Amino acid sequence: MRTHVVDHPLIAHKLTTLRDEGTDTPTFRRLADELVTLLAYEATREVRVSAVDITTPVAPTTGVKLASPKPLVVPILRAGLGMLDGMMRLLPTAEVGFLGMVRNEETLEASTYAERLPDDLSGRQCYVLDPMLATGGTLAAAIDFLVARGADDITAICLLAAPEGCARLERDLAGVDVPVTIVTAAMDEKLNDKGYIVPGLGDAGDRLYGSAGSA
Ligand code: URA
């Protein structure tokens, strides 16, 4: 597994306002959207392309286009939905599949409650959207799910990550021979005893959508 913390002053600037408890929901949503687009630029560095011949107004030339099958973007419900538009801005022709996962707040383990994904992901590059890599349980379960369906390259985009979650992913994915990359705006200090990232930004789903959809 490769972890890429994107070090850029604009990302740090937007992330600081995102973290601030005084930031209201509309501003939080807009910043999350902008941050994902910036992270997506780094996350798609290895997106597969194929050669294409075109003619400019001046001369024939060869360029590239996204290869087939098109990449698959997988937001993890619910908070990952707040990252979808920011991702699709860069990859408008990608397909989207959905994975609903919920974390048991006592055991901190994740389980799947919904999925809308192709049965066969052979040869697909998958981009998983999950704002908070905290314990790593949700992301490990999502990656297992995609690998079991044949995905052969997985990149997870997370607004924030915790060292404990990255360590768990390293352990859980030790036997997985599909390349996995984590792209994040920051590696925070630690988790607290409720599994929240410190300093973090609180509950990403609640900050995006309010507490009506919390379990
Ligand atoms: N999920 C969140 O929304 N926030 C955290 O800090 C950890 C998990």
Side-chain angles (χ1 to χ4, degrees), residues 79-143:
L81 269 189
M83 303 171 74
L84 185 57
D85 287 351
M87 183 72 191
M88 298 309 281
R89 193 168 294 125
L90 276 201
L91 281 183
T93 57
E95 291 187 318
V96 183
F98 297 90
L99 203 45
M101 310 209 79
V102 66
R103 179 171 83 151
N104 179 312
E105 292 302 332
E106 272 152 36
T107 64
L108 302 182
E109 287 307 311
S111 58
T112 307
Y113 68 85
E115 63 96 356
R116 290 297 272 184
L117 286 167
D119 288 338
D120 182 9
L121 295 176
S122 310
R124 292 301 276 263
Q125 277 185 303
C126 294
Y127 293 91
V128 179
L129 308 178
D130 188 12
M132 308 297 275
L133 200 185
T135 61
T138 302
L139 204 48
I143 291 170

Side-chain angles (χ1 to χ4, degrees), residues 103 132 134 195-197 202-205:
R103 179 171 83 151
M132 308 297 275
Y196 276 80
I197 297 179
D203 188 304

Side-chain angles (χ1 to χ4, degrees), residues 45-66:
R45 193 165 280 284
E46 308 287 332
V47 71
R48 292 176 191 141
V49 291
S50 54
V52 60
D53 293 326
I54 59 154
T55 305
T56 77
V58 180
T61 187
T62 303
V64 298
K65 61 173 187 175
L66 286 184

Side-chain angles (χ1 to χ4, degrees), residues 1 3 5 13 19 21-22 27 55 90 92 94 130-131 135 148 152 157 161:
M1 182 180 103
T3 304
V5 180
H13 166 81
R19 290 181 189 276
E21 64 179 1
T27 310
T55 305
L90 276 201
D130 188 12
T135 61
D152 71 354
I157 302 181

Side-chain angles (χ1 to χ4, degrees), residues 182-195:
I182 308 296
V183 176
T184 184
M187 185 65 68
D188 272 9
E189 196 188 317
K190 60 177 183 183
L191 295 182
N192 68 13
D193 59 0
K194 292 192 163 59

